[in-house]
Amino acid sequence: NILDKPIKEQNVLKAVEEALSRKSGSPSSARTVHTENINTEIVKTIVDTVVLILSNITRIEIVKGQLFFLPVAFTTMGIGSIIDFIGDFEGQIMIDMTPPAALFLASRLLKENITEMSELVQSAIAELGNTVAGRVASSLSRFGNIRISTPEVLMDNKQTRIPADRKIFIFPLGIGNFMINVDFFIKIREK
């Protein structure tokens, strides 16, 4: 389901649970905390954190698309900032976008009109990754201990380092005329 505006917490959790139940085959299994090593509150926290950051940078309403899974490794849309995290749970987050979306975000971050891909754009996307990493680390700390890596910028449709045996969440976000994907997987460590 596409989430209707205004975005409400229960609608986000319902969309996450529906996506989980479609993959696992049982709606009731999506409600358990450790369904296929995914916690819907962690998913919601990651998405909400990224949306808040992008809203603050762009000053544009962020439109949330439909959460879906991609069961295989994939390539970036052009440029992405990827963040690894480990601790009580582990995974990766990638903020993935086309070059025009990167130019738009870099222009908003740096408060100047940037029209060509350059090291300046890469630096801006790296800074976006740093901001996401810091906020996500802080937001996820309520779920357990976590350490987040320094973000790495991937360019030119390079294949992600997300292992092919992981279920990858894809959450598309519309920002004006641009689309950005929040791609991630999470695995909760067994205690």
Side-chain angles (χ1 to χ4, degrees):
N1 294 345
I2 299 291
L3 296 174
D4 297 321
K5 292 186 261 177
I7 303 299
K8 296 179 182 168
E9 180 176 344
Q10 66 268 25
N11 293 346
V12 172
L13 290 173
K14 183 179 176 191
V16 170
E17 288 179 357
E18 286 174 1
L20 288 170
S21 67
R22 280 194 301 271
K23 190 66 179 175
S24 65
S26 167
S28 63
S29 67
R31 292 187 181 89
T32 61
V33 172
H34 295 277
T35 298
E36 305 214 16
N37 291 322
I38 301 296
N39 179 314
T40 56
E41 284 294 324
I42 292 173
V43 172
K44 181 187 175 311
T45 298
I46 290 170
V47 171
D48 287 350
T49 300
V50 174
V51 167
L52 178 65
I53 291 166
L54 291 173
S55 294
N56 289 339
I57 290 169
T58 64
R59 303 289 181 213
I60 294 175
E61 179 182 10
I62 309 298
V63 178
K64 295 179 183 180
Q66 181 178 4
L67 176 75
F68 62 95
F69 287 105
L70 191 65
V72 296
F74 59 98
T75 57
T76 67
M77 292 191 296
I79 184 169
S81 183
I82 193 163
I83 304 155
D84 295 315
F85 55 96
I86 60 171
D88 290 338
F89 48 95
E90 62 184 35
Q92 291 177 331
I93 303 169
M94 184 168 73
I95 312 303
D96 187 20
M97 65 199 79
T98 62
L103 291 171
F104 170 74
L105 281 175
S107 295
R108 289 296 176 115
L109 272 166
L110 301 172
K111 297 182 178 19
E112 62 182 84
N113 187 26
I114 300 172
T115 58
E116 294 182 18
M117 292 299 286
S118 65
E119 287 185 16
L120 189 60
V121 174
Q122 290 179 46
S123 294
I125 300 308
E127 184 56 35
L128 171 64
N130 282 327
T131 303
V132 168
R135 289 269 180 91
V136 165
S138 175
S139 299
L140 292 181
S141 65
R142 66 187 169 126
F143 298 103
N145 294 320
I146 183 173
R147 291 187 313 271
I148 292 192
S149 71
T150 302
E152 177 185 352
V153 175
L154 298 178
M155 291 191 63
D156 303 322
N157 295 342
K158 288 187 180 171
Q159 183 142 344
T160 69
R161 293 177 296 131
I162 295 176
D165 66 338
R166 302 284 192 215
K167 260 192 255 176
I168 301 163
F169 281 106
I170 310 278
F171 203 103
L173 302 173
I175 304 173
N177 295 326
F178 304 102
M179 188 177 90
I180 293 174
N181 283 340
V182 181
D183 311 324
F184 55 96
F185 79 85
I186 305 160
K187 180 177 181 182
I188 297 173
R189 291 181 186 252
E190 299 297 325
K191 296 190 179 192

